[in-house]
């Protein structure tokens, strides 16, 4: 049973082919610059050298065809025919309130995803292009959609509603949805397995700290609250996103600087966060390097960034009336020793005791970085959203009566 996982963006398409018998990755790769003058295809088969080529790929259907050609290529391929692919799983950013779990793609499901275009105008239309492109190339293959928001659909109303007129929720579905759900679900499950405890017995805060960043309170195995909101802008300070701010800042700045809606949107999403405060970079590696060389703005950016994470962990400990596990994951969370140290140093009052040696170890596996006597267990758990998409796809296809 082989499952192809696709993450389609407006001008890119990433893929991974899984053998579900042992969950190994047979090949992965990406098509970049779709629709631009020279598209780049990078194909990485597991046991063969990487191939990279540049050609004209004007739309997603051609991109999928190119991927299938590479997967079945005599020299660079990993399967002999596309018939070996049993199902395709797609990452979809926004599932609104409609999708509380992953779903088999049907005409009704496509209609519902289209209805959500307004809520994720940059992402959902691109995912739909990916679904249609697979349909055109492999008309009989079952497809599954896995939503970034689905895990957070368990949040209680008190967590997901904003204190603004209810008519806006009823009419326009303005509420907190949360994102990175696939990652939070995956790492919390991995953490429970690592600790050898039932997931439902743990109160965790999962910190997905990558270019985008969010904290999620996970209670009884379910998302109880999360820092991202109706869009991924709310919550933690991020690489280029502001995170939380007084909403009154927006009209004030628009007025003072004569900014349009799209300009202010771009300012908050693309020109804020680490980038804005350091005046240097949105990349945590560059921030910490500059900080070590004495750059004051980089230090301020780092301090603001880690302070916000601490605030959320503390808030969620109170929200859940308890906390036993903190998880760090994603690019920064998995790799930055200094970030984890800075966050944990401010949480000693909760009973967090970091083991500096464990924290400094470089490793790609789930590991404990707190001391054995720490009241709260702190873990680093490498995330793997693609694997969770492949697992959900496999499970849904097996359950589905259409598949035999
Ligand atoms: P992600 O969005 O999960 O792919 O994370 C990407 C981010 O991880 C990059 O922007 C980097 O800032 C960060 N990152 C990757 N490696 C390191 C590292 N060794 N130390 C600090 N940050 C890192």
């Amino acid at each position: 049973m082989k499952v192809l996982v696709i993450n389609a963006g407006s001008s890119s398409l990433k893929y991974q082919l899984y053998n579900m018998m042992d969950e190994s990755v047979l090949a992965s790769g990406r098509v970049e610059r779709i629709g631009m003058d020279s598209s780049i295809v990078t194909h990485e088969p597991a046991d063969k050298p990487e191939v990279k080529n540049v050609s004209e790929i004007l739309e997603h259907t051609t991109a999928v065809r190119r991927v299938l050609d590479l997967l079945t290529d005599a020299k660079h391929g990993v399967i002999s025919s596309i018939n070996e692919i049993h199902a395709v799983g797609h990452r979809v950013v926004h599932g609104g309130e409609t999708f509380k779990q992953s779903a088999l793609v049907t005409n009704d499901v496509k209609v519902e995803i289209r209805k959500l275009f307004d809520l994720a105008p940059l992402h959902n239309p691109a995912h739909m292009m990916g679904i249609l492109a697979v349909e055109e190339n492999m008309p009989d293959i079952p497809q599954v959609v896995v939503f970034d928001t689905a895990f957070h659909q368990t949040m209680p109303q008190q967590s997901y509603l904003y204190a603004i007129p209810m008519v806006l929720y009823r009419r326009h579905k303005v509420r907190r949805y949360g994102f990175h759900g696939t990652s939070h679900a995956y790492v919390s499950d991995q953490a429970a397995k690592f600790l050898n405890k039932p997931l439902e017995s743990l109160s965790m805060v999962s910190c997905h700290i990558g270019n985008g960043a969010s904290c999620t309170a996970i209670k009884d195995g379910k998302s109880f609250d999360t820092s991202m909101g109706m869009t991924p802008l709310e919550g933690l300070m991020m690489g280029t996103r502001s995170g939380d701010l007084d909403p009154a800042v927006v009209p004030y700045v628009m007025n003072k600087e004569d900014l349009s809606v799209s300009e202010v949107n771009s300012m908050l999403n693309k020109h804020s966060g680490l980038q804005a405060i350091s005046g240097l970079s949105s990349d945590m590696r560059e921030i910490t390097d500059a900080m070590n060389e004495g750059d004051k703005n980089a230090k301020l950016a780092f301090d603001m960034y880690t302070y916000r994470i601490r605030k959320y962990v503390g808030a969620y400990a109170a929200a859940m009336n308890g906390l036993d596990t903190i998880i760090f994951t994603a690019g920064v969370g998995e790799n930055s020793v200094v970030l984890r140290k800075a966050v944990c140093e401010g949480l000693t009052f909760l009973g967090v005791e970091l083991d500096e040696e464990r924290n400094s170890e470089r490793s790609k596996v789930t590991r404990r970085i707190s001391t054995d006597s720490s009241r709260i267990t702190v873990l680093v758990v490498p995330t793997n959203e693609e694997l969770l998409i492949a697992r959900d796809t496999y499970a849904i296809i097996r359950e589905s009566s259409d598949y035999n």
Side-chain angles (χ1 to χ4, degrees):
M1 173 87 173
K2 298 193 177 79
V3 169
L4 180 63
V5 172
I6 288 186
N7 182 354
S10 56
S11 65
S12 69
L13 187 140
K14 294 188 201 135
Y15 62 94
Q16 292 207 340
L17 182 67
Y18 279 90
N19 178 354
M20 294 314 290
M21 293 306 114
D22 58 2
E23 296 189 335
S24 59
V25 177
L26 299 171
S28 59
R30 58 195 178 273
V31 185
E32 292 160 291
R33 299 174 56 85
I34 300 171
M36 299 176 201
D37 48 7
S38 44
S39 314
I40 307 163
V41 185
T42 312
H43 175 67
E44 297 170 37
D47 300 321
K48 296 176 187 176
E50 175 187 303
V51 242
K52 202 169 193 151
N53 57 52
V54 178
S55 61
E56 190 180 68
I57 298 180
L58 289 179
E59 30 78 59
H60 287 66
T61 307
T62 319
V64 169
R65 194 176 320 126
R66 195 63 54 83
V67 169
L68 296 175
D69 287 346
L70 278 163
L71 289 172
T72 53
D73 185 82
K75 192 163 164 212
H76 308 293
V78 291
I79 49 176
S80 48
S81 140
I82 59 169
N83 296 332
E84 284 185 45
I85 303 174
H86 294 92
V88 177
H90 292 266
R91 173 192 182 218
V92 177
V93 163
H94 221 304
E97 289 189 327
T98 317
F99 295 101
K100 301 192 187 318
Q101 55 207 18
S102 305
L104 188 70
V105 175
T106 60
N107 284 335
D108 287 349
V109 164
K110 283 189 281 185
V111 168
E112 291 304 322
I113 295 175
R114 280 206 177 87
K115 283 188 198 159
L116 297 166
F117 278 9
D118 262 1
L119 282 175
L122 299 178
H123 292 100
N124 276 22
H127 304 318
M128 183 55 82
M129 287 197 275
I131 294 167
L132 297 177
V134 170
E135 226 170 65
E136 285 193 34
N137 282 285
M138 299 188 277
D140 299 323
I141 207 108
Q143 302 194 69
V144 168
V145 273
V146 180
F147 300 91
D148 281 12
T149 50
F151 180 63
H152 301 301
Q153 279 296 301
T154 51
M155 283 188 292
Q157 274 198 320
Q158 64 181 33
S159 307
Y160 74 69
L161 283 180
Y162 293 122
I164 55 176
M166 280 296 274
V167 66
L168 296 172
Y169 169 60
R170 285 197 296 271
R171 238 187 242 160
H172 306 295
K173 293 279 175 253
V174 175
R175 52 159 284 181
R176 174 185 314 286
Y177 291 97
F179 298 87
H180 294 143
T182 314
S183 175
H184 291 298
Y186 178 82
V187 297
S188 54
D189 187 52
Q190 288 293 111
K193 286 186 178 131
F194 177 84
L195 296 170
N196 209 9
K197 289 188 178 156
L199 179 59
E200 300 72 31
S201 71
L202 297 165
S203 293
M204 315 196 217
V205 175
S206 157
C207 307
H208 177 113
I209 316 293
N211 200 20
S214 66
C215 281
T216 296
I218 302 166
K219 195 180 174 192
D220 306 326
K222 295 182 196 142
S223 174
F224 181 75
D225 201 350
T226 191
S227 60
M228 282 181 167
M230 182 169 116
T231 77
L233 183 56
E234 195 181 346
L236 301 174
M237 176 172 158
M238 308 180 212
T240 62
R241 295 188 198 126
S242 65
D244 293 335
L245 82 167
D246 179 349
V249 168
V250 176
Y252 184 82
V253 169
M254 285 175 83
N255 193 22
K256 288 281 180 199
E257 295 285 323
D258 197 18
L259 296 182
S260 66
V261 170
S262 82
E263 283 167 333
V264 81
N265 234 333
S266 160
M267 176 194 90
L268 295 170
N269 279 289
K270 299 190 182 140
H271 306 285
S272 296
L274 286 176
Q275 173 78 56
I277 302 300
S278 69
L280 191 75
S281 170
S282 61
D283 190 316
M284 186 50 87
R285 285 165 290 201
E286 291 181 37
I287 300 292
T288 38
D289 286 349
M291 187 169 77
N292 292 338
E293 283 159 19
D295 186 311
K296 288 199 171 60
N297 294 334
K299 168 94 172 85
L300 176 61
F302 180 85
D303 288 346
M304 287 171 67
Y305 190 90
T306 49
Y307 173 69
R308 289 258 183 116
I309 301 173
R310 273 202 309 278
K311 267 209 317 195
Y312 266 98
V313 174
Y316 287 162
M320 293 188 289
N321 192 21
L323 174 67
D324 42 57
T325 313
I326 299 173
I327 301 169
F328 286 100
T329 192
V332 184
E334 289 170 33
N335 295 301
S336 179
V337 174
V338 281
L339 171 120
R340 295 191 300 255
K341 183 167 186 275
V343 172
C344 291
E345 270 176 355
L347 295 172
T348 47
F349 81 101
L350 274 177
V352 172
E353 256 178 44
L354 193 71
D355 183 317
E356 298 234 3
E357 206 171 302
R358 287 177 180 169
N359 185 40
S360 304
E361 273 165 28
R362 302 255 166 218
S363 161
K364 293 269 169 234
V365 296
T366 298
R367 61 200 184 277
R368 185 191 306 262
I369 57 167
S370 50
T371 61
D372 290 338
S373 58
S374 179
R375 203 145 28 93
I376 290 177
T377 306
V378 187
L379 303 176
V380 178
V381 182
T383 195
N384 194 340
E385 287 154 284
E386 293 79 13
L387 177 57
L388 196 139
I389 295 172
R391 282 181 184 164
D392 267 18
T393 303
Y394 183 47
I396 287 178
I397 296 308
R398 281 169 62 115
E399 269 167 32
S400 145
S401 53
D402 298 339
Y403 179 76
N404 48 49

